[in-house]
């Protein structure tokens, strides 16, 4: 039997010796006691018990992580965790249950937590977010192929990313048998609403691709294009639907297609509306638009083209006749157009 006090251990030095950036800013302080029982005639009978009274860690980025009293008991095959309550900034994660350490040892771990969106904003440039997300998950099976079930929820989120205001940001998702079902993810922006539903396989044993249904209703393209979220002379509410598929969580693995079902473009006295649905596609890192037809009292336009987000390359073909004043909002300053154009 061996008892070890945790506080005197040089854990901070060990953490700083590990490779990676910001090593000098890392720290790990633990108070508590570890107990080991090692039968001399049976090395496989090792049992350990760790009682942590306080834990404070800092990895050099953002706020540190702390935890109050918790215990870990077990042997070479499994460990039982009780009372773990991790806190980082405003986030909180509670964990308890059994963790399988051997290849054939089962895991039954319960995770519950709350994450304020202000913490997530640390990973998004130019983002200001408010609201709270909650998670209630259960991890079962073997660690090499865990089965995750439970739910995640976000209600009443709001904020801003770049110059775009976000309202009524929400999420309802359920995990079952290695698949996360997004029942409803939605946000109001630019005078309209964006919603996403679908399924995302998770875990190393998950099969099939990722499929999401995307819908935009009344999203004003003029507001999205305006500088710093100011008023735009272009009013262009858009309705769009589509399906997004991905074989892996990477941009080059994404394929999507759908239709623009409604679009009106208005600038003062000039107005054009979509004559019929127009198809759009995203594949191979390129977004393409086919046969977009707009018509109004001042003329008509027919457009198509492609845009590659990776390098910003844009190819656009436009034909038709309309009053040139329609293009005024696309240019900054006092530049103005008037008269018919073809």
């Amino acid at each position: 039997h061996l008892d070890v006090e945790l506080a005197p251990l040089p854990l901070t030095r060990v953490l700083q010796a590990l490779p990676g950036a910001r090593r000098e800013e890392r720290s790990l302080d633990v108070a508590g006691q570890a107990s080991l029982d090692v039968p001399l005639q049976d090395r496989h009978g090792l049992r350990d018990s760790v009682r942590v009274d306080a834990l404070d860690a800092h990895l050099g980025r953002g706020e540190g992580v702390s935890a109050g009293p918790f215990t870990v008991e077990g042997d070479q095959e499994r460990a039982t965790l009780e009372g773990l309550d991790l806190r980082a900034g405003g986030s909180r994660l509670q964990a308890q249950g059994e963790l399988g350490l051997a290849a054939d040892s089962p895991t039954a771990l319960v995770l519950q937590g709350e994450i304020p969106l202000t913490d997530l904003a640390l990973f998004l440039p130019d983002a200001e977010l408010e609201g709270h997300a909650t998670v209630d998950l259960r991890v079962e099976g073997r660690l090499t192929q865990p089965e995750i079930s439970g739910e995640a929820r976000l209600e009443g989120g709001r904020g801003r990313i770049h110059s775009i205001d976000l309202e009524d940001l929400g999420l309802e998702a359920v995990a079952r048998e290695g698949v996360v079902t997004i029942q409803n993810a939605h946000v109001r922006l630019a005078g309209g609403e964006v919603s996403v539903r679908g399924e995302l396989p998770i875990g190393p044993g998950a099969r099939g691709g990722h499929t999401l249904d995307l819908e935009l209703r009344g999203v004003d393209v003029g507001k999205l294009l305006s500088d710093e979220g100011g008023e735009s002379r272009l009013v262009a509410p858009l309705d769009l639907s589509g399906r997004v598929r991905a074989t892996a969580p990477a941009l080059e693995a994404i394929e999507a297609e759908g239709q623009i079902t409604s679009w009106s473009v208005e600038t003062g006295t000039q107005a054009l509306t979509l004559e019929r649905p127009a198809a759009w596609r995203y594949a191979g890192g390129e977004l393409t638009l086919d046969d977009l037809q707009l018509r109004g009292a001042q003329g008509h336009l027919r457009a198509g083209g492609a845009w590659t987000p990776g390098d910003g390359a844009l190819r656009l073909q436009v034909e038709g006749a309309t009053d040139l004043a329609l293009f005024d909002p696309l240019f900054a300053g006092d530049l103005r157009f008037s008269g018919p154009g073809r």
Side-chain angles (χ1 to χ4, degrees):
H1 180 83
L2 177 66
D3 291 329
V4 178
E5 290 295 329
L6 300 179
L9 298 179
L11 299 178
T12 292
R13 292 185 181 181
V14 173
L15 195 63
Q16 291 177 345
L18 297 176
R22 300 176 179 267
R23 287 187 290 179
E24 69 283 352
E25 299 180 18
R26 302 172 186 170
S27 65
L28 177 58
D29 298 311
V30 179
Q33 186 180 71
S35 299
L36 299 177
D37 288 314
V38 187
L40 297 180
Q41 297 180 346
D42 182 11
R43 63 185 180 86
H44 297 291
L46 171 67
R47 292 194 60 82
D48 61 84
S49 175
V50 179
R51 186 196 75 248
V52 177
D53 296 322
L55 180 150
D56 288 288
H58 199 286
L59 303 181
R61 290 181 179 272
E63 299 190 43
V65 178
S66 64
F70 67 93
T71 60
V72 181
E73 297 180 350
D75 52 30
Q76 292 175 307
E77 294 188 351
R78 61 183 59 84
T80 300
L81 178 65
E82 291 188 4
L84 179 60
D85 189 351
L86 288 175
R87 298 172 183 265
S91 298
R92 181 179 183 181
L93 178 65
Q94 297 173 307
Q96 64 179 6
E98 191 169 276
L99 195 63
L101 303 179
D104 56 351
S105 296
T107 289
L109 197 62
V110 176
L111 303 174
Q112 296 176 316
E114 181 175 299
I115 305 172
L117 297 190
T118 50
D119 286 359
L120 296 181
L122 296 174
F123 304 97
L124 299 173
D126 301 322
E128 300 176 6
L129 299 175
E130 299 177 5
H132 286 78
T134 58
V135 294
D136 187 352
L137 303 176
R138 186 176 181 87
V139 183
E140 298 177 305
R142 295 173 297 174
L143 283 183
T144 55
Q145 195 170 354
E147 298 178 1
I148 300 175
S149 60
E151 62 181 27
R153 184 181 298 272
L154 166 65
E155 296 180 348
R158 59 181 299 170
R160 167 177 288 209
I161 296 180
H162 297 292
S163 61
I164 302 173
D165 290 326
L166 308 177
E167 298 284 347
D168 192 25
L169 180 60
L171 169 69
E172 295 178 11
V174 176
R176 294 286 185 276
E177 299 180 352
V179 177
V180 173
T181 300
I182 300 177
Q183 298 175 329
N184 187 18
H186 57 86
V187 63
R188 295 192 61 82
L189 58 85
E193 183 174 8
V194 179
S195 62
V196 176
R197 294 176 175 83
E199 295 185 345
L200 301 173
I202 57 175
R207 298 180 180 179
H210 304 67
T211 303
L212 297 174
D213 291 324
L214 172 68
E215 188 173 34
L216 279 68
R217 289 289 177 263
V219 175
D220 190 342
V221 177
K223 290 183 178 181
L224 294 179
L225 295 177
S226 64
D227 294 332
E228 299 300 325
E231 291 297 323
S232 171
R233 291 177 290 160
L234 174 67
V235 179
L238 172 75
D239 289 359
L240 175 150
S241 62
R243 172 158 289 187
V244 182
R245 296 178 296 273
T247 55
L251 193 62
E252 60 273 13
I254 295 176
E255 294 184 354
E257 61 182 358
Q259 289 187 328
I260 297 175
T261 55
S262 175
W263 197 19
S264 62
V265 181
E266 303 177 10
T267 59
T269 59
Q270 315 301 320
L272 296 175
T273 58
L274 186 69
E275 277 199 301
R276 62 185 184 186
W280 63 270
R281 296 188 305 277
Y282 181 87
E286 183 177 73
L287 177 65
T288 60
L289 179 65
D290 294 335
D291 199 21
L292 178 72
Q293 297 187 37
L294 299 168
R295 183 174 295 275
Q298 288 78 25
H300 66 277
L301 290 177
R302 187 172 186 174
W307 176 50
T308 306
D311 57 15
L314 175 65
R315 302 191 308 275
L316 186 63
Q317 296 176 330
V318 181
E319 63 180 35
T322 188
D323 193 314
L324 293 177
L326 182 71
F327 298 98
D328 275 356
L330 302 180
F331 298 90
D334 296 325
L335 183 64
R336 295 289 184 270
F337 293 91
S338 64
R342 181 178 294 273

